[in-house]
Coordinates of all heavy atoms in Angstrom, one line a residue:
M1 N -22.6 -71.8 42.0 CA -22.3 -72.5 40.7 C -22.9 -71.7 39.5 O -24.1 -71.5 39.5 CB -22.9 -73.9 40.8 CG -22.4 -74.8 39.7 SD -23.0 -76.5 39.8 CE -21.7 -77.3 38.9
T2 N -22.1 -71.4 38.6 CA -22.6 -70.7 37.5 C -23.1 -71.6 36.4 O -22.3 -72.5 36.0 CB -21.6 -69.8 37.0 OG1 -20.4 -70.5 36.6 CG2 -21.2 -68.7 38.0
T3 N -24.2 -71.4 35.9 CA -24.7 -72.3 34.8 C -24.3 -71.7 33.6 O -24.6 -70.5 33.3 CB -26.3 -72.4 34.9 OG1 -26.8 -71.1 34.9 CG2 -26.7 -73.2 36.1
A4 N -23.7 -72.4 32.7 CA -23.3 -72.0 31.4 C -24.5 -71.8 30.5 O -25.2 -72.7 30.2 CB -22.2 -72.9 30.8
T5 N -24.6 -70.6 30.1 CA -25.7 -70.3 29.2 C -25.4 -70.8 27.8 O -24.3 -70.5 27.3 CB -26.0 -68.8 29.1 OG1 -24.8 -68.1 28.8 CG2 -26.5 -68.3 30.4
P6 N -26.3 -71.5 27.2 CA -26.0 -72.1 25.8 C -25.9 -71.0 24.8 O -26.8 -70.1 24.7 CB -27.2 -73.0 25.6 CG -28.3 -72.5 26.4 CD -27.6 -71.9 27.7
V7 N -24.8 -71.0 24.1 CA -24.6 -69.9 23.1 C -25.3 -70.4 21.8 O -25.0 -71.4 21.2 CB -23.1 -69.7 22.8 CG1 -23.0 -68.7 21.7 CG2 -22.4 -69.3 24.0
R8 N -26.3 -69.6 21.4 CA -27.0 -69.9 20.2 C -26.4 -69.2 19.0 O -26.2 -68.0 19.0 CB -28.5 -69.4 20.3 CG -29.4 -70.1 19.3 CD -30.8 -69.6 19.4 NE -31.3 -69.7 20.8 CZ -32.5 -69.2 21.2 NH1 -33.3 -68.6 20.3 NH2 -32.9 -69.3 22.4
T9 N -26.0 -70.0 18.0 CA -25.4 -69.4 16.8 C -26.1 -69.8 15.6 O -26.7 -70.9 15.5 CB -23.9 -69.9 16.7 OG1 -23.9 -71.3 16.7 CG2 -23.1 -69.4 17.8
V10 N -26.1 -68.9 14.6 CA -26.7 -69.2 13.4 C -25.7 -69.0 12.3 O -24.6 -68.4 12.5 CB -27.9 -68.2 13.1 CG1 -29.1 -68.5 14.1 CG2 -27.5 -66.8 13.2
V11 N -26.0 -69.4 11.1 CA -25.0 -69.2 10.0 C -25.1 -67.8 9.4 O -26.2 -67.4 9.0 CB -25.2 -70.3 8.9 CG1 -24.3 -70.0 7.7 CG2 -25.1 -71.6 9.5
C12 N -24.1 -67.1 9.4 CA -24.1 -65.7 8.8 C -24.4 -65.8 7.3 O -23.7 -66.5 6.6 CB -22.7 -65.1 9.1 SG -22.6 -63.5 8.3
P13 N -25.4 -65.1 6.8 CA -25.8 -65.1 5.4 C -24.7 -64.6 4.5 O -24.7 -65.0 3.3 CB -27.0 -64.2 5.3 CG -27.5 -64.1 6.7 CD -26.3 -64.2 7.6
T14 N -23.7 -63.8 5.0 CA -22.7 -63.2 4.1 C -21.5 -64.0 4.0 O -21.1 -64.4 3.0 CB -22.4 -61.8 4.7 OG1 -23.5 -61.0 4.7 CG2 -21.3 -61.2 3.8
C15 N -20.9 -64.4 5.2 CA -19.7 -65.1 5.2 C -19.8 -66.6 5.5 O -18.9 -67.4 5.3 CB -18.7 -64.5 6.2 SG -19.1 -64.7 7.9
G16 N -21.0 -67.0 5.9 CA -21.2 -68.4 6.2 C -20.7 -68.9 7.5 O -20.7 -70.1 7.8
G17 N -20.1 -68.0 8.2 CA -19.5 -68.4 9.5 C -20.5 -68.3 10.6 O -21.7 -67.9 10.4
P18 N -20.1 -68.8 11.8 CA -21.1 -68.8 12.9 C -21.3 -67.4 13.4 O -20.4 -66.5 13.5 CB -20.3 -69.6 13.9 CG -18.9 -69.4 13.6 CD -18.8 -69.3 12.1
S19 N -22.6 -67.1 13.6 CA -23.0 -65.8 14.1 C -23.7 -65.9 15.4 O -24.6 -66.8 15.5 CB -23.9 -65.1 13.0 OG -24.5 -63.9 13.6
L20 N -23.3 -65.1 16.3 CA -23.9 -65.2 17.6 C -25.4 -64.6 17.6 O -25.6 -63.5 17.2 CB -23.1 -64.4 18.7 CG -23.7 -64.3 20.1 CD1 -23.7 -65.7 20.7 CD2 -22.9 -63.4 21.0
Y21 N -26.3 -65.5 17.9 CA -27.7 -65.1 17.8 C -28.2 -64.8 19.2 O -28.7 -65.6 19.9 CB -28.6 -66.2 17.2 CG -29.9 -65.7 16.7 CD1 -30.0 -65.0 15.5 CD2 -31.1 -65.9 17.4 CE1 -31.2 -64.5 15.0 CE2 -32.3 -65.4 17.0 CZ -32.3 -64.7 15.8 OH -33.5 -64.3 15.3
A22 N -27.9 -63.5 19.6 CA -28.2 -63.1 21.0 C -28.5 -61.6 20.9 O -28.0 -60.9 20.0 CB -27.1 -63.4 21.9
P23 N -29.2 -61.1 21.9 CA -29.5 -59.7 21.9 C -28.2 -58.8 21.9 O -28.3 -57.6 21.5 CB -30.2 -59.5 23.3 CG -30.9 -60.8 23.5 CD -29.8 -61.8 23.0
E24 N -27.1 -59.3 22.4 CA -25.9 -58.5 22.4 C -25.3 -58.4 21.0 O -24.5 -57.5 20.7 CB -24.9 -59.2 23.3 CG -24.5 -60.6 22.9 CD -24.0 -61.4 24.2 OE1 -24.9 -61.7 25.0 OE2 -22.8 -61.6 24.2
N25 N -25.7 -59.3 20.1 CA -25.3 -59.1 18.7 C -26.3 -58.3 18.0 O -27.4 -58.8 17.5 CB -25.1 -60.5 18.1 CG -24.6 -60.5 16.6 OD1 -24.3 -59.4 16.2 ND2 -24.6 -61.6 15.9
R26 N -26.0 -57.1 17.8 CA -27.1 -56.2 17.2 C -27.2 -56.4 15.7 O -28.1 -55.9 15.0 CB -26.7 -54.7 17.4 CG -25.4 -54.3 16.8 CD -25.1 -52.8 17.0 NE -24.8 -52.5 18.4 CZ -24.5 -51.3 18.8 NH1 -24.6 -50.3 17.9 NH2 -24.1 -51.1 20.0
W27 N -26.2 -57.1 15.1 CA -26.2 -57.3 13.7 C -26.7 -58.7 13.3 O -26.6 -59.1 12.1 CB -24.8 -57.2 13.1 CG -24.2 -55.8 13.5 CD1 -24.6 -54.6 13.0 CD2 -23.2 -55.5 14.4 NE1 -23.9 -53.6 13.5 CE2 -23.0 -54.1 14.4 CE3 -22.4 -56.3 15.2 CZ2 -22.1 -53.5 15.2 CZ3 -21.5 -55.7 16.0 CH2 -21.3 -54.3 16.0
R28 N -27.3 -59.4 14.2 CA -27.8 -60.7 13.9 C -28.9 -60.6 12.8 O -29.6 -59.6 12.8 CB -28.4 -61.4 15.2 CG -29.6 -60.7 15.7 CD -30.0 -61.4 17.0 NE -31.2 -60.8 17.6 CZ -31.3 -59.7 18.3 NH1 -30.2 -59.0 18.6 NH2 -32.5 -59.3 18.7
P29 N -29.1 -61.5 11.9 CA -28.4 -62.8 11.9 C -26.9 -62.8 11.4 O -26.3 -63.8 11.2 CB -29.2 -63.7 11.0 CG -29.8 -62.8 10.1 CD -30.0 -61.4 10.8
F30 N -26.5 -61.6 11.1 CA -25.1 -61.5 10.6 C -24.1 -61.6 11.8 O -24.5 -61.2 12.9 CB -24.9 -60.2 9.8 CG -25.8 -60.0 8.7 CD1 -27.0 -59.3 8.8 CD2 -25.6 -60.7 7.5 CE1 -27.9 -59.2 7.8 CE2 -26.5 -60.5 6.4 CZ -27.7 -59.8 6.6
C31 N -22.8 -61.9 11.5 CA -21.9 -62.1 12.6 C -21.3 -60.8 12.9 O -20.8 -60.6 14.0 CB -20.8 -63.1 12.1 SG -19.7 -62.5 10.8
S32 N -21.3 -59.8 12.1 CA -20.7 -58.5 12.4 C -21.4 -57.4 11.6 O -22.1 -57.7 10.6 CB -19.2 -58.6 12.1 OG -19.0 -58.8 10.7
E33 N -21.0 -56.2 11.9 CA -21.5 -55.0 11.1 C -21.1 -55.1 9.7 O -21.8 -54.7 8.8 CB -21.1 -53.8 11.8 CG -21.6 -52.5 11.1 CD -21.1 -51.3 11.8 OE1 -20.2 -51.3 12.6 OE2 -21.7 -50.2 11.5
R34 N -19.8 -55.5 9.5 CA -19.3 -55.6 8.2 C -20.1 -56.5 7.2 O -20.4 -56.2 6.1 CB -17.8 -56.0 8.2 CG -17.2 -56.0 6.8 CD -15.7 -56.4 7.0 NE -15.1 -56.5 5.6 CZ -13.8 -56.8 5.4 NH1 -13.0 -57.0 6.4 NH2 -13.4 -56.9 4.2
C35 N -20.4 -57.7 7.8 CA -21.2 -58.6 7.0 C -22.6 -58.1 6.7 O -23.1 -58.3 5.6 CB -21.3 -60.0 7.7 SG -19.8 -61.0 7.6
R36 N -23.1 -57.4 7.6 CA -24.4 -56.8 7.4 C -24.3 -55.7 6.3 O -25.2 -55.6 5.4 CB -24.9 -56.2 8.7 CG -26.3 -55.6 8.6 CD -26.8 -55.2 9.9 NE -28.1 -54.5 9.9 CZ -28.2 -53.1 9.7 NH1 -27.1 -52.4 9.6 NH2 -29.4 -52.6 9.6
Q37 N -23.3 -54.9 6.4 CA -23.2 -53.9 5.4 C -22.9 -54.5 4.0 O -23.4 -54.0 3.0 CB -22.0 -52.9 5.7 CG -22.2 -52.1 7.0 CD -23.3 -51.1 6.8 OE1 -23.6 -50.7 5.6 NE2 -23.9 -50.7 7.9
I38 N -22.2 -55.5 3.9 CA -21.9 -56.2 2.6 C -23.2 -56.7 2.1 O -23.5 -56.5 0.9 CB -20.8 -57.3 2.8 CG1 -19.5 -56.7 3.1 CG2 -20.8 -58.2 1.6 CD1 -18.5 -57.8 3.5
D39 N -24.0 -57.3 2.9 CA -25.2 -57.9 2.4 C -26.2 -56.8 1.9 O -26.8 -56.9 0.8 CB -25.9 -58.7 3.5 CG -27.1 -59.4 3.0 OD1 -26.9 -60.5 2.3 OD2 -28.3 -59.0 3.2
L40 N -26.3 -55.7 2.7 CA -27.1 -54.6 2.2 C -26.6 -53.9 1.0 O -27.3 -53.5 0.2 CB -27.2 -53.6 3.4 CG -28.0 -54.1 4.6 CD1 -28.0 -53.0 5.7 CD2 -29.4 -54.4 4.3
G41 N -25.2 -53.8 0.9 CA -24.6 -53.2 -0.2 C -24.9 -54.0 -1.5 O -25.2 -53.4 -2.5
A42 N -24.7 -55.3 -1.4 CA -25.0 -56.1 -2.5 C -26.4 -56.0 -3.0 O -26.8 -55.9 -4.2 CB -24.7 -57.6 -2.2
W43 N -27.3 -55.9 -2.0 CA -28.8 -55.8 -2.3 C -29.0 -54.5 -3.0 O -29.7 -54.4 -4.0 CB -29.5 -55.9 -1.0 CG -31.0 -56.0 -1.3 CD1 -31.8 -57.1 -1.6 CD2 -31.9 -54.9 -1.2 NE1 -33.1 -56.7 -1.7 CE2 -33.2 -55.4 -1.5 CE3 -31.8 -53.5 -0.9 CZ2 -34.3 -54.5 -1.5 CZ3 -32.9 -52.7 -0.9 CH2 -34.1 -53.2 -1.2
A44 N -28.4 -53.4 -2.5 CA -28.6 -52.1 -3.1 C -28.0 -52.0 -4.5 O -28.6 -51.4 -5.4 CB -28.0 -51.0 -2.1
S45 N -26.8 -52.5 -4.7 CA -26.2 -52.5 -6.0 C -27.0 -53.2 -7.0 O -27.0 -52.8 -8.2 CB -24.8 -53.0 -5.9 OG -24.8 -54.4 -5.6
E46 N -27.6 -54.3 -6.6 CA -28.5 -55.0 -7.6 C -29.6 -54.1 -8.0 O -30.0 -54.1 -9.2 CB -29.1 -56.3 -6.9 CG -28.1 -57.4 -6.7 CD -27.8 -58.1 -8.0 OE1 -28.7 -58.2 -8.8 OE2 -26.7 -58.5 -8.3
E47 N -30.2 -53.3 -7.1 CA -31.2 -52.4 -7.4 C -30.7 -51.3 -8.4 O -31.4 -51.0 -9.3 CB -31.8 -51.8 -6.1 CG -32.6 -52.8 -5.3 CD -33.9 -53.1 -5.9 OE1 -34.7 -52.2 -6.1 OE2 -34.2 -54.3 -6.1
F48 N -29.5 -50.9 -8.1 CA -29.0 -49.8 -8.9 C -28.6 -50.2 -10.3 O -28.7 -49.4 -11.2 CB -27.8 -49.2 -8.2 CG -28.2 -48.0 -7.3 CD1 -28.1 -48.2 -5.9 CD2 -28.5 -46.8 -7.8 CE1 -28.5 -47.2 -5.0 CE2 -28.9 -45.8 -6.9 CZ -28.8 -46.0 -5.6
R49 N -28.2 -51.5 -10.4 CA -27.7 -51.9 -11.7 C -28.8 -52.1 -12.7 O -28.6 -52.1 -13.9 CB -26.9 -53.3 -11.5 CG -25.5 -53.0 -11.0 CD -24.8 -54.4 -10.7 NE -24.9 -55.3 -11.9 CZ -24.5 -56.5 -11.8 NH1 -23.9 -57.0 -10.7 NH2 -24.5 -57.3 -12.9
M50 N -30.0 -52.4 -12.2 CA -31.1 -52.7 -13.1 C -31.4 -51.6 -14.2 O -31.4 -51.9 -15.3 CB -32.4 -53.0 -12.3 CG -32.3 -54.4 -11.6 SD -33.8 -54.8 -10.7 CE -34.9 -55.1 -12.1
P51 N -31.6 -50.3 -13.7 CA -31.9 -49.3 -14.7 C -30.7 -49.0 -15.6 O -30.8 -48.6 -16.8 CB -32.3 -48.1 -13.9 CG -31.7 -48.3 -12.6 CD -31.6 -49.9 -12.4
T52 N -29.5 -49.1 -15.1 CA -28.3 -48.7 -15.8 C -27.9 -49.7 -16.9 O -27.3 -49.4 -17.8 CB -27.1 -48.4 -14.9 OG1 -26.9 -49.5 -14.1 CG2 -27.4 -47.2 -14.0
E53 N -28.2 -50.9 -16.6 CA -27.9 -52.0 -17.6 C -28.7 -51.9 -18.9 O -28.3 -52.3 -20.0 CB -28.0 -53.4 -17.0 CG -26.8 -53.7 -16.1 CD -26.9 -55.2 -15.7 OE1 -27.9 -55.8 -16.0 OE2 -25.9 -55.6 -15.1
A54 N -29.9 -51.4 -18.8 CA -30.8 -51.2 -19.9 C -30.3 -50.0 -20.7 O -30.4 -48.9 -20.2 CB -32.2 -51.2 -19.5
P55 N -29.9 -50.2 -22.0 CA -29.5 -49.0 -22.8 C -30.8 -48.2 -23.2 O -31.8 -48.8 -23.4 CB -28.9 -49.6 -24.0 CG -29.5 -51.0 -24.1 CD -29.7 -51.4 -22.7
P56 N -30.7 -46.9 -23.2 CA -31.8 -46.1 -23.7 C -32.2 -46.3 -25.1 O -31.3 -46.5 -26.0 CB -31.3 -44.7 -23.5 CG -29.8 -44.8 -23.6 CD -29.4 -46.1 -23.0
D57 N -33.4 -46.3 -25.4 CA -34.0 -46.6 -26.7 C -33.6 -45.5 -27.7 O -33.3 -45.7 -28.8 CB -35.5 -46.9 -26.7 CG -35.8 -48.2 -26.1 OD1 -34.9 -49.1 -26.1 OD2 -36.9 -48.4 -25.5
D58 N -33.8 -44.3 -27.2 CA -33.5 -43.2 -28.1 C -32.2 -42.4 -27.7 O -32.2 -41.7 -26.7 CB -34.7 -42.2 -28.1 CG -35.1 -41.8 -26.8 OD1 -34.8 -42.5 -25.8 OD2 -35.8 -40.8 -26.6
A59 N -31.2 -42.7 -28.4 CA -30.0 -41.9 -28.2 C -30.1 -40.5 -28.8 O -30.6 -40.4 -30.0 CB -28.8 -42.7 -28.8
P60 N -29.7 -39.5 -28.1 CA -29.9 -38.1 -28.7 C -29.1 -37.9 -29.9 O -29.5 -37.1 -30.8 CB -29.4 -37.3 -27.5 CG -28.5 -38.1 -26.7 CD -29.1 -39.5 -26.8
Y61 N -28.0 -38.6 -30.1 CA -27.2 -38.4 -31.3 C -27.5 -39.4 -32.4 O -26.9 -39.4 -33.4 CB -25.7 -38.5 -30.9 CG -25.4 -39.7 -30.0 CD1 -25.2 -41.0 -30.6 CD2 -25.3 -39.5 -28.6 CE1 -25.0 -42.0 -29.7 CE2 -25.0 -40.6 -27.8 CZ -24.8 -41.9 -28.4 OH -24.6 -42.9 -27.5
G62 N -28.6 -40.3 -32.2 CA -28.9 -41.2 -33.2 C -30.2 -40.8 -33.9 O -30.6 -41.5 -34.8
D63 N -30.7 -39.7 -33.6 CA -32.0 -39.2 -34.2 C -31.6 -38.5 -35.5 O -31.0 -37.4 -35.5 CB -32.7 -38.3 -33.2 CG -34.2 -38.1 -33.7 OD1 -34.4 -38.4 -34.9 OD2 -35.0 -37.7 -32.8
P64 N -32.1 -39.0 -36.7 CA -31.8 -38.3 -37.9 C -32.4 -36.9 -38.1 O -32.0 -36.1 -38.9 CB -32.3 -39.3 -39.0 CG -33.3 -40.1 -38.3 CD -32.8 -40.2 -36.8
R65 N -33.5 -36.7 -37.3 CA -34.2 -35.5 -37.4 C -33.4 -34.3 -36.9 O -33.7 -33.2 -37.3 CB -35.5 -35.6 -36.7 CG -36.6 -36.4 -37.4 CD -37.8 -36.6 -36.6 NE -37.5 -37.3 -35.3 CZ -38.4 -37.6 -34.4 NH1 -39.6 -37.2 -34.6 NH2 -38.1 -38.3 -33.3
T66 N -32.4 -34.6 -36.1 CA -31.6 -33.5 -35.6 C -30.5 -33.1 -36.5 O -29.9 -32.1 -36.3 CB -31.0 -33.9 -34.2 OG1 -30.2 -35.1 -34.4 CG2 -32.1 -34.2 -33.2
Q67 N -30.3 -33.9 -37.6 CA -29.3 -33.6 -38.5 C -29.7 -32.5 -39.5 O -30.8 -32.7 -40.1 CB -28.8 -34.8 -39.3 CG -28.1 -35.8 -38.4 CD -27.7 -37.1 -39.1 OE1 -28.1 -37.3 -40.3 NE2 -27.0 -37.9 -38.4
E68 N -29.0 -31.5 -39.7 CA -29.4 -30.5 -40.7 C -28.4 -30.5 -41.8 O -27.2 -30.7 -41.7 CB -29.3 -29.1 -40.0 CG -30.3 -29.0 -38.9 CD -30.3 -27.6 -38.3 OE1 -29.7 -26.7 -39.0 OE2 -30.9 -27.4 -37.2
S69 N -28.9 -30.3 -43.1 CA -28.1 -30.4 -44.3 C -27.6 -29.0 -44.6 O -28.2 -28.0 -44.3 CB -28.9 -31.0 -45.4 OG -30.1 -30.2 -45.6
Ligands
ZN1 ZN1 -20.3 -62.9 8.6

């Protein structure tokens, strides 16, 4: 008689779907590699957007001292 092993599932942080929480799921707590990549990508893009969103204080073409008469 085979005993049915209880499948433990958690909510995938990316898609909100059921994710298999077992050693065979290498992407846990995500349900798949894709969801894991999406989550990591979103996290990385947030980091990248921070410096680029801030405009530089000194624009090279806005300095009057570089203008010659
Ligand atoms: Zn997912």
Side-chain angles (χ1 to χ4, degrees):
M1 192 177 205
T2 57
T3 54
T5 55
V7 178
R8 197 182 308 176
T9 56
V10 294
V11 178
C12 174
T14 300
C15 69
S19 170
L20 179 64
Y21 199 79
E24 59 204 73
N25 181 9
R26 67 175 70 180
W27 302 290
R28 66 185 186 278
F30 304 96
C31 68
S32 63
E33 181 181 14
R34 181 177 176 177
C35 280
R36 181 173 174 271
Q37 292 292 337
I38 290 174
D39 187 78
L40 292 178
W43 186 83
S45 63
E46 286 285 324
E47 290 286 303
F48 269 105
R49 280 175 52 184
M50 288 185 67
T52 52
E53 277 189 356
D57 287 334
D58 51 340
Y61 44 82
D63 195 343
R65 285 174 297 180
T66 57
Q67 293 179 352
E68 295 184 15
S69 54

